[in-house]
Each structure stands twice: as structure tokens, then as C-alpha cells.
Amino acid sequence: MKNRGNLVLGVLLYFLVFLGLSCHATQGDVLWRLMWEKATAEPKIGGSKLSVTSERRFLLSEVVKPQAGLKEKDKIDMLPGQPRKVNFNQYGGYVTVDEKIGRALYYYFVEAEGPKDTLPLVLWLNGGPGCSSVGYGAMAEVGPFRVSSDGKTLYQNQYAWNKVANVLFLDSPVGAGFSYTNSSSDEQVNGDERTANDAYVFLVNWLERFPEYKNREFYIAGESYGGHYVPQLAHTIIQHNKEAKQPINLKGIAIGNPMVHEEDDGALGGHFFEFMWSRGFVSEKTIDSIRKGCDFSQPPFRRTKACFRSMYEVIAPLEFVFMDNIYAPLCDHHLTAKPMYTSLDSFDPCNDIYVTAYMNRPEVQNALHANVTKINYPWEECRSLNWTDGAFSVLPLFTEFLENEIRVLVYSGDIDAKIPMTFTQTSLKRLNLSEATPWYAWDSNSEIGGFSVVYEGGLTYATVKGAGHEVPSYQPKRAFVLIKSFLDGVPLPRLHIKEYSDPEV
Ligand SMILES: *[C@@H]1O[C@H](CO)[C@@H](O)[C@H](O)[C@H]1NC(C)=O
Ligand SMILES: *[C@@H]1O[C@H](CO)[C@@H](O)[C@H](O)[C@H]1NC(C)=O
Ligand SMILES: *[C@@H]1O[C@H](CO)[C@@H](O)[C@H](O)[C@H]1NC(C)=O
């Protein structure tokens, strides 16, 4: 009981500080909230499940519905405020994933600039759970446009991923972004398993609507809690491919700052405090006291009063730090009457305000073929969803991917405190893979883009220097090198480093 009290106090500490103060929660905030809920829920959410389920639970013939004519209806002429001339097609609309209940997922699709008929198809999924892939992924990360500070006009992202792929953004699960259900109780049973199944049903129907993509090389990318969605959807596809007449041509998955393994609630805690210490946010005395007084490694949790005092000393000042990118400035203004000067190289910390304003404009929703009269609440970048099941680890699936020759890329923005890179590296170590190409510096325009290691079997890990939780927001150029190498199936370019030679002693 005492331990439980301590846990609750720990939760309060984290959330009073991190969530109470920000008016809207970021993708990383929502992720942390879920992790702590999982750690303290009784019984634990999805407690004993090590892996994921989402085995085949339906027949394809039962879920695939006719889609004729819908593609043409989904075509977007132009988004309000977009640059006049663009040389790619945009589509947006709904795919029903449960006819009986009336549950539909919203997608926004941008075809590639260039040879769209041969370039691969990439599905992008943001995390949360509850964050919109259209709001984050498309409008703040890898999509062709960014929203200006007036909340009305768009400007071009020259590092958009649709220069190398056809990119599909899915608001998943139901309750995120423009996705909706006609039964409000339906929204309260969201969880890992239904998310994977719904995304799969979405995908097979979407491929009916866009049949020219049926045989295309297919990749799934995502971030944060997408570290659950992406592998689980890939697993679902592999399961269904076994019986499908036309299997989905899944080639690889890429996940950024992902949640892939929770040994216990404390595992992240330990990495978090060490990360903040290594970045100069924590005194030697305090980290020493945390190391001695807090046991983050395994239950039962040994946490002393000294531990809580020291944790508080670290956490309290962080009210003035943006934890998704500890070096980013904080947002200090609202919408502006005229668009401010923008540079893709320095991400605007008020971006979510602009995106939220833009997505709530009726003319934008009309153009996107999305409509909030369907969802009955204002569009939000992240909505807090009730989560009924969540796997504690998706790592066992990685073994399945490598056996099926599905490439895996895991990457970490190296200044994210929400999922620090060391946390991800520790998780990956559990796979016991041997290194095919040891840790090396990779080249982004003759600078260190980060570091990478390639494992036997086809798993690549990479850090991205100077990137936060949302890597393509903070380092769009480096994220572009990353995705291009991944889609080309080649290692990240190596920086030429002088070889070691023994000094004369
Ligand atoms: C939800 O209900 C509305 C109004 O009855 C209907 O028009 C819409 O098609 C339903 N959505 C789904 C996905 O069935
Ligand atoms: C989550 O569940 C609680 C209790 O059932 C309910 O009050 C709340 O409205 C639900 N939230 C959402 C977003 O469904
Ligand atoms: C990795 O090695 C450890 C220690 O030998 C073992 O307990 C664990 O099951 C291995 N994991 C995998 C995925 O093979």
C-alpha cells in the first residue's frame, strides 16, 4: 500500500507540473499520461499481456466494401490559402471501418511530386493516443504544407516526404482528429487491438478506392505512441496476408521516438532523470540522491522521501522548458494578423495554435471533405482518449518482421526528454541482435546528421542530432535524408572519419 501511495505521489508530481500548466497537451504529454495511468491502474491496463494480439479476427470478404466512385469525390481541388501552383494531387475523406456502429476514419492523402506511379506508398501514424496525423504529421512534420501564423495561409515544406513517396495520413484511432463514431460509447473502448484492426480495415478499403496502389511497395511510418500502432498494424497485415488473394506489399516500418517497451512504470523515469542530468539540468548532488534513493529498475518500487524531494528539484523548473525539445523556445504569442516570416529550419513553437485555427475553419473542413458537425466538438491536435488495452511490449513483433524480411528503422530525436534516446536504445538491446554495421556518424550535408547502427536481419537504429520528439518538425532536412535512405533500402550515408592509428608511445 505504501508503494502504491508513493506511485500516486509520483504521478501527481509529474502531472501537476507537466500537464496542469500547458493548456493543450502535446503528443508527448498524452503519451506520458497513458504510461502513468498504466503504471497505476488496478488491474493494470493490458497488464499481463507481453505482446499484442490482433490476430486475424475477421475475414477480408466481410470487411471490404465497394468503393467505386469515392476516389473522385475525395479529390481536393485546393486547400484554402495554399500556394497556387503545386504539382501533386491531394485527396481527403472518410473510410467506414464499422458499418453497424457507424465508425469512420478520416484520411488525407498527398500523391508524390514526380513519378507517383512507381514511388512507394507510405502510411503515417501519429501517437498520443489521440493525436491527429493530419494535424501533426501532415501540417507540422512531413506533409507538403505548413500553416502560417495567421492560421489561414499555407507555405510549402521543401522537405516534404511526398518528394520520395505517396503519403497517406490517417487520423487513428477513432476520436483522433476528424475520425468519428456515431455511438459515443464506442469511443470509450479504444485500445491497441481495435486501433490495429480498424487501421487494417481502413487500409484494405482505401486500397479498393485507390486500386492503383494495391501492389505498390508499402511502408508504415509513425512516432511516439505510433511505436505501438505501426508494429501492431504491420503484424496484422502479415497475419492477413497469409490468406489474402492479393497480399499487401509491406516492405518496412519506420518509427520515431517510439514507445516500444515498458518494463515497468519506472524504466522511463530512470532514463528521464539521467537524460536531464547529462544535459546540464540537474546538479551532481541531486542526481546522486536520485540514483541512491529511487529504484527505477524493478518492482517493488523503492522510493524514499529523499527520492521524491530530489525528483521534485528536477521537475519543478521544467515548467519553463518544452519537454518535447528541451532547447526549443516556448510559445509566446497567439495568431498574428499577417503571416510572420517563417523558416523551416527553426520550428515555430506556436505552430499548434496556427494548425488548430486552420483546421477549425469551415472552408478548410469543406475543402478537406471533413466536417466537425460529424464529431460535435472542435478539432483538436490531441484528444484525451480512454484506453482499454495496451501491450507492455511490441518488441516480440520485431523478430517477426525481420524473419519476414520487413525492414525496420527506429530513430530518436536526441533532444527529446519524453522518450529519451537512451530509453529506446535500452529497449532495442533486449532483441539481442548482433551488429552488422557498428555505430557510425551519418552524413547530412557534410555535417553529422546523427549516429546510426545497423543490426543483422535488417533493423537500423539512428539518432537525429538536434531533433525533439517530432523529428521532422525540428530537423526536416535530416528527416528527409533518413526517409530517403530507408525507402531506398540503403544505410544512412557515412561521414568520412579518419581511421585510428596507434600513437607512438
Ligand atoms: C453516422 O450517422 C450519420 C447520420 O445518420 C450518417 O449520415 C453517417 O453515414 C453515419 N456514419 C457512418 C460511418 O455510418
Ligand atoms: C472516458 O470514460 C469515462 C468513464 O467511463 C467518461 O466519463 C469519459 O467521458 C470518457 N472519455 C472519453 C473521451 O470517452
Ligand atoms: C536476450 O538474451 C537474454 C539473456 O540471455 C534472454 O533472457 C532473452 O530472452 C533474449 N531475448 C531475445 C529476444 O532473444
Side-chain angles (χ1 to χ4, degrees):
M1 274 296 107
K2 189 151 168 277
N3 282 332
R4 193 162 158 71
N6 281 351
L7 273 172
V8 172
L9 179 56
V11 173
L12 279 178
L13 269 178
Y14 273 95
F15 289 103
L16 280 179
V17 178
F18 290 122
L19 295 181
L21 292 161
S22 60
C23 30
H24 30 230
T26 67
Q27 183 173 233
D29 293 335
V30 184
L31 173 67
W32 269 25
R33 189 185 309 164
L34 176 71
M35 286 192 61
W36 284 101
E37 274 172 14
K38 281 174 80 171
T40 53
E42 198 139 30
K44 285 191 172 187
I45 300 168
S48 55
K49 272 187 223 162
L50 177 65
S51 183
V52 230
T53 47
S54 53
E55 303 303 337
R56 284 172 287 164
R57 291 188 184 274
F58 41 79
L59 293 172
L60 276 180
S61 54
E62 289 167 6
V63 296
V64 178
K65 307 287 172 196
Q67 303 287 330
L70 294 175
K71 173 184 166 181
E72 292 69 28
K73 274 172 75 182
D74 288 353
K75 180 105 196 293
I76 295 171
D77 293 332
M78 201 176 177
L79 292 181
Q82 83 169 50
R84 290 225 155 258
K85 267 201 180 157
V86 296
N87 46 1
F88 53 85
N89 295 320
Q90 307 176 67
Y91 296 86
Y94 286 95
V95 171
T96 299
V97 293
D98 189 320
E99 269 189 339
K100 249 193 256 137
I101 286 176
R103 188 161 73 243
L105 299 185
Y106 180 80
Y107 78 89
Y108 169 62
F109 178 51
V110 284
E111 285 192 321
E113 285 186 49
K116 70 182 170 73
D117 298 336
T118 50
L119 286 174
L121 175 66
V122 174
L123 172 70
W124 172 273
L125 296 170
N126 277 97
C131 298
S132 163
S133 302
V134 181
Y136 266 97
M139 291 296 171
E141 301 190 71
V142 308
F145 305 123
R146 296 273 171 93
V147 183
S148 304
S149 62
D150 59 0
K152 289 180 192 161
T153 50
L154 303 175
Y155 59 98
Q156 217 143 2
N157 170 12
Q158 73 252 38
Y159 306 111
W161 287 11
N162 76 327
K163 293 181 193 291
V164 289
N166 300 281
V167 192
L168 176 57
F169 300 91
L170 176 64
D171 275 345
S172 161
V174 65
F178 289 122
S179 293
Y180 75 97
T181 168
N182 277 338
S183 149
S184 56
S185 61
D186 190 37
E187 212 185 279
Q188 291 176 23
V189 291
N190 263 315
D192 279 16
E193 191 175 321
R194 191 175 76 176
T195 301
N197 285 334
D198 274 3
Y200 180 74
V201 174
F202 162 83
L203 190 61
V204 288
N205 279 291
W206 187 90
L207 288 169
E208 283 305 311
R209 201 175 291 189
F210 291 78
E212 63 275 31
Y213 288 98
K214 271 189 179 172
N215 287 316
R216 200 65 62 86
E217 288 200 350
F218 179 61
Y219 296 85
I220 318 172
E223 139 198 304
S224 191
Y225 200 73
H228 276 215
Y229 302 157
V230 173
Q232 289 168 343
L233 174 59
H235 171 72
T236 307
I237 290 172
I238 293 169
Q239 297 302 313
H240 283 275
N241 269 355
K242 291 175 187 162
E243 58 153 18
K245 264 193 242 113
Q246 196 167 22
I248 293 174
N249 191 8
L250 177 64
K251 290 288 183 193
I253 65 165
I255 44 180
N257 295 63
M259 172 48 69
V260 289
H261 185 90
E262 299 152 61
E263 180 65 354
D264 55 64
D265 77 312
L268 175 60
H271 284 280
F272 167 73
F273 289 107
E274 294 290 339
F275 177 78
M276 295 314 284
W277 168 73
S278 75
R279 301 289 160 155
F281 286 71
V282 183
S283 75
E284 288 293 330
K285 205 171 128 205
T286 303
I287 193 70
D288 209 43
S289 150
I290 287 177
R291 284 174 188 153
K292 287 200 183 105
C294 316
D295 183 354
F296 294 111
S297 62
Q298 53 188 324
F301 307 103
R302 181 170 60 80
R303 288 179 186 177
T304 60
K305 271 194 186 145
C307 164
F308 279 102
R309 187 175 312 116
S310 308
M311 288 205 299
Y312 184 77
E313 274 167 29
V314 177
I315 290 164
L318 299 183
E319 175 187 335
F320 304 100
V321 176
F322 182 48
M323 302 303 290
D324 287 22
N325 172 350
I326 56 171
Y327 298 124
L330 298 180
C331 174
D332 63 356
H333 61 264
H334 208 258
L335 292 178
T336 60
K338 284 199 176 134
M340 297 190 318
Y341 170 77
T342 45
S343 155
L344 280 166
D345 293 323
S346 64
F347 187 69
D348 187 327
C350 304
N351 190 69
D352 60 339
I353 295 174
Y354 318 152
V355 172
T356 305
Y358 186 78
M359 300 303 272
N360 277 300
R361 301 180 75 80
E363 68 273 27
V364 170
Q365 292 172 3
N366 278 341
L368 284 168
H369 310 127
N371 198 332
V372 275
T373 55
K374 287 196 176 115
I375 58 176
N376 291 321
Y377 41 76
W379 183 94
E380 287 176 87
E381 265 202 319
C382 290
R383 288 186 66 235
S384 180
L385 303 176
N386 285 334
W387 211 249
T388 58
D389 73 289
F392 270 79
S393 180
V394 293
L395 287 177
L397 301 181
F398 287 41
T399 312
E400 178 187 38
F401 301 151
L402 301 183
E403 280 165 10
N404 283 277
E405 293 183 17
I406 288 167
R407 292 203 289 281
V408 179
L409 167 66
V410 181
Y411 58 94
S412 301
D414 68 358
I415 53 176
D416 172 26
K418 285 279 165 57
I419 302 283
M421 58 181 173
T422 53
F423 183 47
T424 305
Q425 288 168 25
T426 306
S427 299
L428 291 181
K429 242 189 245 164
R430 291 172 183 277
L431 291 168
N432 304 335
L433 298 170
S434 44
E435 292 179 0
T437 310
W439 185 267
Y440 66 97
W442 64 269
D443 183 342
S444 167
N445 290 67
S446 304
E447 280 181 24
I448 289 186
F451 293 86
S452 180
V453 49
V454 183
Y455 294 97
E456 297 286 356
L459 187 147
T460 299
Y461 174 75
T463 66
V464 182
K465 186 161 72 77
H469 197 60
E470 291 79 18
V471 167
S473 295
Y474 300 104
Q475 292 294 342
K477 215 185 277 183
R478 290 175 190 159
F480 188 78
V481 175
L482 198 68
I483 194 66
K484 183 161 180 2
S485 304
F486 174 65
L487 296 177
D488 289 345
V490 299
L492 281 158
R494 179 184 282 272
L495 261 183
H496 181 69
I497 309 272
K498 280 195 204 83
E499 278 194 29
Y500 177 78
S501 61
D502 275 325
E504 288 183 27
V505 285

